Amino acid sequence: MWSRRRFIESVAALPIVGGIAAAVPAPAAAAGKGRDLFKELGVRPFINAAGTYTAMTASLMAPEAMDAINYASKHFVMLDELHDRVGERIAALVRAEAAMVTSGAASALTLGTAAVLTGTDRKKIDALPNLSDPAGMMKSEVIIQKAHRFGYERAVRNCGVRLVEVETRADLEGAITDRTAMMLFYNNNNKEGQIKDEEFVALGRKHAIPTLNDAAADVPPVENLWKYTAMGFDLVAFSGGKGIRGPQSAGLLLGRKPLIVAARQNASPNGNAIGRGMKVNKEELVGMLAALQAFVEKDHAREGREFERRAQEIKKSVDAVPGVTSEIFVPEVANHVPHVRVSWNRSTITLDPAAVVRTLQAGEPSIVIRSEGEVLVIGVWMMQPGEDRIVARRLRQVLEGKA
Ligand SMILES: *Cc1c(COP(=O)(O)O)cnc(C)c1O
């Protein structure tokens, strides 16, 4: 915050010329609170009718998180001591043996993999991602089901490991060698016809190979916070800044104590570690804890009914447009909250979905939704109170060709 303010003040100190003039805050505003920083920067906020997408800044922090962040910003503490205490509290809250705050679920994947590879061996921690460093030869393969290949496995490969694809149980057992470091599971793709979560865990146990489950976007339901560690996964990763509404740059790594200890050693503030650039500051530590507490304690049934009501509001509005059909659906695992899918008869309404997305974003207020091929997908859970009505009205206007 301080550096951002200094940046804006240094802009304000420049002579007022051409395009800069618009961005220069009025002197009174520059001195005090209540400034419209995004306006000063020429960045336009929008109504998030999409969901918890990182590129859209994902979620708004819980007020409890902001209070904790403001509190922490006024004090110095020893970072490792705070990490320890926050980790203990989080572990108790989610019934895990141990826990740590990471810089996002992606960092949890990297640090969890690093922990499995290095343990607490300082030489190995220094050598990573060079797995064949003479100072500490490490295992080099991570087994994953073919159907579980996903966009974030890069965070695992950052540690220098190679992914070995398998499809059946026999494949998996045949792929295990003395090079096998870990078995990686992508929770969202836990489907019939594959090796399902419990069997995957049992296979890991049988062969003494640690298992890591990426459940980044998989709350609600809140029970998922303890379901997978209880099932026996050695490590589980969650995003802090999606449904939990903690800092967007925070995440959780939950699991067995020796692995969390090793993950911590691979992370900031330790220098010469693969995770040194994945720093979590004291504000994020307490902000994450506060957000998690609020999330665990909140009335999820009530919130679920509110999401359903918003979805109905939008559905009702678009259904009134001739040629338009819509349905409410809840994704099975990740983003497990009501969404609205909207499509239309293209001979009645010639608009293509991408054009509707663009029109809504360019409009006033700016609204961001997603299109998936020929349909629009509206996520309601990141909306602020009252925004569902605005989205319902604007969407209808655009589909009616009145915007
Ligand atoms: C969002 C996501 C991540 C990355 O999470 P961050 O908290 O943004 O680092 C990793 N894996 C999956 C499956 C995700 O959905």
Side-chain angles (χ1 to χ4, degrees):
M1 202 55 208
W2 185 80
S3 61
R4 175 160 43 182
R5 180 178 313 145
R6 199 171 61 153
F7 161 71
I8 292 163
E9 280 168 1
S10 66
V11 171
L14 291 171
I16 296 176
V17 284
I20 299 225
V24 174
K33 290 191 173 182
R35 289 172 53 183
D36 193 341
L37 290 173
F38 288 146
K39 192 167 184 195
E40 288 172 20
L41 291 164
V43 172
R44 198 154 84 107
F46 55 83
I47 292 174
N48 181 349
T52 58
Y53 296 92
T54 296
M56 301 176 193
T57 60
S59 66
L60 298 181
M61 273 188 272
E64 292 87 345
M66 285 311 305
D67 288 347
I69 286 168
N70 281 322
Y71 164 84
S73 74
K74 301 185 181 85
H75 308 278
F76 288 100
V77 291
M78 285 298 172
L79 191 59
D80 268 327
E81 190 186 348
L82 184 63
H83 241 303
D84 287 344
R85 296 291 95 77
V86 167
E88 288 162 10
R89 288 289 182 93
I90 289 175
L93 266 173
V94 302
R95 311 171 199 176
E97 192 179 305
M100 70 178 287
V101 179
T102 60
S103 55
S107 153
L109 296 179
T110 304
L111 295 176
T113 308
V116 163
L117 293 167
T118 66
T120 56
D121 184 332
R122 191 68 243 172
K123 288 205 200 81
K124 290 181 178 175
I125 292 168
D126 288 356
L128 210 64
N130 182 0
L131 304 174
S132 55
D133 189 283
M137 289 287 287
M138 284 174 260
K139 296 183 176 182
S140 58
E141 293 177 357
V142 168
I143 294 177
I144 185 169
Q145 295 183 75
K146 192 171 178 193
H148 283 224
R149 298 298 301 262
F150 65 119
Y152 291 96
E153 61 190 37
R154 179 62 160 90
V156 169
R157 289 194 288 107
N158 279 351
C159 295
V161 294
R162 191 171 77 83
L163 294 182
V164 177
E165 267 181 22
V166 298
E167 286 186 82
T168 63
R169 182 191 168 104
D171 271 1
L172 190 152
E173 294 203 272
I176 294 173
T177 68
D178 57 6
R179 293 185 302 278
T180 308
M182 191 172 83
M183 288 162 51
L184 176 62
F185 195 83
Y186 175 31
N187 203 50
N188 187 49
N189 286 12
N190 183 34
K191 308 240 162 83
E192 292 307 327
Q194 298 161 21
I195 306 170
K196 292 200 71 185
D197 46 14
E198 281 176 349
E199 188 182 5
F200 194 82
V201 165
L203 284 167
R205 287 271 171 88
K206 178 177 169 194
H207 295 277
I209 310 282
T211 46
L212 191 166
N213 188 0
D214 180 356
D218 303 350
V219 286
V222 62
E223 297 81 23
N224 280 357
L225 287 170
W226 40 90
K227 179 175 175 184
Y228 302 107
T229 41
M231 192 181 280
F233 279 100
D234 297 284
L235 291 167
V236 182
F238 284 101
S239 286
K242 290 180 181 166
I244 301 172
R245 291 179 59 199
Q248 229 292 281
S249 48
L252 299 173
L253 181 63
L254 315 177
R256 286 178 42 227
K257 180 94 196 247
L259 289 175
I260 300 298
V261 168
R264 283 279 305 280
Q265 292 194 16
N266 276 282
S268 167
N270 302 306
N272 208 2
I274 200 157
R276 179 58 181 82
M278 304 172 194
K279 188 187 285 182
V280 180
N281 67 22
K282 64 183 186 304
E283 290 81 8
E284 291 166 317
L285 280 164
V286 296
M288 187 66 245
L289 174 60
L292 187 67
Q293 272 166 340
F295 181 76
V296 168
E297 286 163 13
K298 86 167 143 203
D299 185 341
H300 290 274
R302 184 159 158 250
E303 187 181 70
R305 285 194 297 275
E306 167 61 13
F307 292 159
E308 180 68 29
R309 189 199 59 72
R310 293 178 195 171
Q312 291 290 358
E313 172 93 24
I314 289 163
K315 178 174 169 45
K316 202 173 72 198
S317 183
V318 296
D319 282 353
V321 183
V324 173
T325 49
S326 69
E327 58 169 336
I328 295 175
F329 72 101
V330 178
E332 215 176 299
V333 187
N335 308 311
H336 186 67
V337 287
H339 289 66
V340 190
R341 194 182 276 134
V342 182
S343 55
W344 53 91
N345 183 337
R346 294 285 285 276
S347 53
T348 319
I349 302 171
T350 53
L351 286 165
D352 78 282
V356 175
V357 170
R358 282 195 302 274
T359 304
L360 284 170
Q361 186 170 8
E364 184 59 51
S366 179
I367 297 169
V368 173
I369 65 171
R370 293 188 315 115
S371 61
E372 272 179 16
E374 292 300 300
V375 300
L376 297 174
V377 180
I378 294 106
V380 299
W381 61 325
M382 292 298 126
M383 290 176 186
Q384 297 300 290
E387 289 180 347
D388 53 306
R389 284 213 309 282
I390 300 170
V391 173
R393 189 181 67 230
R394 284 287 300 145
L395 197 52
R396 179 175 170 170
Q397 283 173 350
V398 174
L399 290 169
E400 284 173 338
K402 293 182 185 158

